[in-house]
Amino acid sequence: MSIKEHLKNIKTELPDGVTLVAVSKTKPNEAILEAYEAGQQVFGENKVQEMTQKWETLPKDIEWHMIGHLQRNKVKYMAEFVSLIHGVDSLRLLKEIDKQAQKHDRVIPCLLQMHIAEEDTKFGLDEAELKELIQSEEFKAMENIKIMGLMGMATFTSNQNQVRKEFSNLKSIFEKLKQELPNISVLSMGMSGDYSVAIEEGSTMVRIGSSIFGVRNYS
Ligand SMILES: *Cc1c(COP(=O)(O)O)cnc(C)c1O
């Protein structure tokens, strides 16, 4: 099947209100253009340099989402154009995003990444850290970032019950957070292997790569 057909099949499975981020990391511009020409406008990348190169050469109405773990010293390269940063996991990083956004006279939409998986290798905040962050005076003073919601990754396992429990936990953290930040609306959870479960548990944004573009070759 072609990229276009994969996209069409996935789109028919997504309920209204669930945004598809086509994860194009490691994939060439031609593949992205094929998806773009089929109507896809939102793409996700996990490396700032790669995303910036693609932004420079591809149509300017593409929305670029940074979905990977982000180093503070890289924020400046994408502050001008990034549409949503999914992986914000510290106040220090958020402060840097705020500072760089200010330089470009804009507000950068962000998601706070929660650690919901069993693996320690995955990044993200725990609930205590989330609370501390959003209650800090520094957070309240920032004017050039906007928290749109939460992002999380489930454990890489074939145990669907565990994946479901982790997504359900993230959804309940999201609902609690709404009491403090009533304007949040985005819950980014679900990838190629687990997006159906994520949607059942309340996802509003899925990040799908290999099911659209095929397996990635990192060499
Ligand atoms: C690569 C990646 C995805 C997409 O993974 P697939 O399994 O190819 O769909 C989603 N989210 C994040 C954070 C990623 O790094």
Side-chain angles (χ1 to χ4, degrees):
M1 263 200 290
S2 65
I3 290 171
K4 204 178 223 161
E5 287 167 317
H6 284 302
L7 251 181
K8 196 172 149 212
N9 289 345
I10 290 167
K11 282 230 177 111
T12 57
E13 288 177 41
L14 302 183
D16 287 345
V18 175
T19 302
L20 172 61
V21 180
V23 176
S24 49
K25 62 193 186 194
T26 78
K27 298 295 175 182
N29 283 0
E30 298 73 62
I32 297 173
L33 277 172
E34 187 177 339
Y36 175 79
E37 277 152 18
Q40 181 65 26
Q41 258 184 304
V42 182
F43 292 87
E45 291 282 335
N46 69 340
K47 298 225 158 55
V48 174
Q49 191 184 359
E50 184 177 343
M51 185 173 79
T52 304
Q53 281 168 357
K54 288 172 174 174
W55 167 69
E56 282 167 353
T57 49
L58 286 162
K60 285 294 177 287
D61 61 347
I62 287 178
E63 283 180 36
W64 292 103
H65 288 199
M66 174 43 59
I67 63 169
H69 186 64
L70 184 57
Q71 289 168 312
R72 276 178 299 137
N73 62 0
K74 301 279 172 67
V75 174
K76 57 178 176 284
Y77 301 113
M78 61 173 186
E80 179 184 349
F81 69 91
V82 67
S83 287
L84 182 64
I85 300 177
H86 289 235
V88 180
D89 62 355
S90 73
L91 184 62
R92 288 175 80 202
L93 176 57
L94 204 55
K95 279 167 72 175
E96 177 64 14
I97 297 168
D98 185 61
K99 181 175 140 191
Q100 297 300 333
Q102 200 169 9
K103 285 189 186 165
H104 292 279
D105 196 22
R106 63 177 293 226
V107 172
I108 297 184
C110 295
L111 302 178
L112 295 170
Q113 181 172 358
M114 299 302 296
H115 186 273
I116 53 167
E118 222 168 52
E119 302 133 320
D120 314 327
T121 48
K122 290 197 170 131
F123 297 101
L125 303 160
D126 63 30
E127 280 195 79
E129 291 164 336
L130 173 67
K131 194 168 172 190
E132 190 184 321
L133 192 160
I134 64 158
Q135 290 181 346
S136 69
E137 290 308 316
E138 284 171 298
F139 174 73
K140 290 173 187 164
M142 287 184 220
E143 292 182 342
N144 295 79
I145 54 101
K146 182 168 186 220
I147 301 298
M148 307 299 293
L150 297 176
M151 179 270 214
M153 291 170 87
T155 304
F156 186 70
T157 171
S158 57
N159 181 344
Q160 296 289 295
N161 287 334
Q162 184 178 348
V163 170
R164 187 178 295 281
K165 249 199 299 188
E166 292 171 359
F167 285 147
S168 155
N169 177 35
L170 183 57
K171 167 74 170 170
S172 76
I173 298 168
F174 177 77
E175 290 304 328
K176 270 187 266 171
L177 184 63
K178 256 189 182 167
Q179 292 166 16
E180 316 258 348
L181 306 176
N183 293 325
I184 59 171
S185 60
V186 179
L187 184 54
S188 168
M189 59 184 197
M191 318 184 3
S192 291
D194 57 20
Y195 71 90
S196 303
V197 179
I199 289 168
E200 285 167 12
E201 296 304 325
S203 171
T204 71
M205 187 174 276
V206 290
R207 310 175 308 270
I208 300 180
S210 42
S211 290
I212 297 171
F213 296 107
V215 292
R216 284 178 294 273
N217 182 352
Y218 284 101
S219 64

